[in-house]
Each structure stands twice: as C-alpha cells, then as structure tokens.
Amino acid sequence: MTTTAQNGGQPAMHKPAVVSEAAWEAAWKQMLVKEKAQSRARDALAAERRRMPWMAVEKDYAFEGPQGRVSLHDLFAGRHQLILYRAFYEPGVFGWPEHACRGCSMVADQVAHVAHLNSRDTTLVFASRAPQADIARLKARMGWTMPWVTITDSFDKDFGVDEWHGTNVFYRDGERIFRTYFINNRGDEQMGGTWNYLDITPLGRQEVWEDSPEGYPQTPTYKWWNWNDAYVADAEPDKKWVEVSDAGEAAFRAEGANEKS
C-alpha cells in the first residue's frame, strides 16, 4: 500500500497498491466470488423470511390522512401487502417543525418511486405524530411523494416504534390483518430501494426464480418491470420488452456458463 501525507491534522491515508489491468481483473474476480455468495445467502434469508409465522392484528388502529380518518386496513389501499415506516417528525424531535429527524429524512430521500411496489401488490406508507398540515408542508419542501399519515393512538408503542424508527410489514387477507415482519436499527438504514422493500414482504419479489411457499404469486423475471408512469393493472407484459429482456437474460446466462467452463 502507498501512503499519502498527513493533511489538516488527519492521519495519513494508506491506499491500496496500483496494479496492472490483469492483476486488477484477477482481484475483482476473487471479490466477485464472495459477493455472489453473499447474494445467494441474502436470497436464502429472504426465502426463510417468507416462511416466518404471522401475528394477527386484533386491535383497530386509527390514523389521520390528508382526507381525514383512516384505519390500518385503509392504508393497504386495496392491496395485500403494507410496508409502514415510522418516521420521527413531531414536537420534541430535532429539526421540528422545519425538518423531520435527519436519519428518517435520509430514509425518505432514498425511497424509490412507489409505482414499482404498487405493481407488486404492495403499498408503502410513512407514519409520524405530526399533524397533517405539517406533514404536507414538509413533503412539499423536501420533494417527497409517498403517502404519509399521522399516528393517533398506541400503534407506535404496540409495534415497537415509539422510541426509535422502524419498518413494520403487514399482510391483508380479506378483512384480517397480520404482522409478518419488523426491521429497525441498522437493518432499517438500507431501506428505500424497491428490491430491499420487496425482500422483507411475505410475498417477496414474486418472480419465478425465488424460493417461495407453494401457491405464492410468481411471474417471469424482468417481465413485469416498467416505467413508473406506464403500469396498467392486469396488463400482459409488453411484447417488445419480453424480447429485450429474454435476449439480455440469454446473454447473461451464456456469460456465466463461459466463466464456469
């Protein structure tokens, strides 16, 4: 490793060696083996998560939305899965009333377009104790568009998010609601992307390669992907996109086969 001179009181930075293209390629391939193993382990963990037992939600919880009172059932917006993030924005929180908690705000900044989650029968909602007028002002200032409701009862205490942020996942079976998963602390910091969200839901990404219990909804990989303004409920996959994705997948598999040979 090389060393850079101390600058501004900071300790010297020890940099990795500079090598040839061939040596760099070899080092990258060694790292790739470990990264692929990590990906497979993550997939296996998600498969195990889809088999976790559920907890029935027996209490009727009430929230305040832009149009008035809403129930936990209403938050699903007709879908089967609900991801509910407890964000700290309320009196007593650092930043109030101009800002929400810095950490919760970073999570909000990372949230991908919710249309992709919605197309997988999943709704994402943020919840805080701030009044709706303050939440609307904050969302407009920060450019956030996800649904955001006001907690009005003991929901936060009952689901482990009264003192710290966290993400609860629920499944709706008709009128019945079940808690299926919960993630907080450091596990919560990497949320925001479509795939990370889907991986903590009971139905997962709903693609055919996934190891899911029998009867779970699954569709061909890639085929449901779409522009965020082009999803149409129950629409067949676009034929051109099927051709493009099939060609890309074939090339990917061929490359993988060549690497093993």
Side-chain angles (χ1 to χ4, degrees), residues 92-108:
V93 171
F94 175 64
W96 171 266
E98 290 79 13
H99 282 292
C101 157
R102 288 185 175 179
C104 296
S105 297
M106 286 190 69
V107 172

Side-chain angles (χ1 to χ4, degrees), residues 103-122:
C104 296
S105 297
M106 286 190 69
V107 172
D109 280 337
Q110 296 175 74
V111 172
H113 202 293
V114 296
H116 305 297
L117 288 174
N118 295 165
S119 71
R120 295 278 90 178
D121 199 16
T122 305

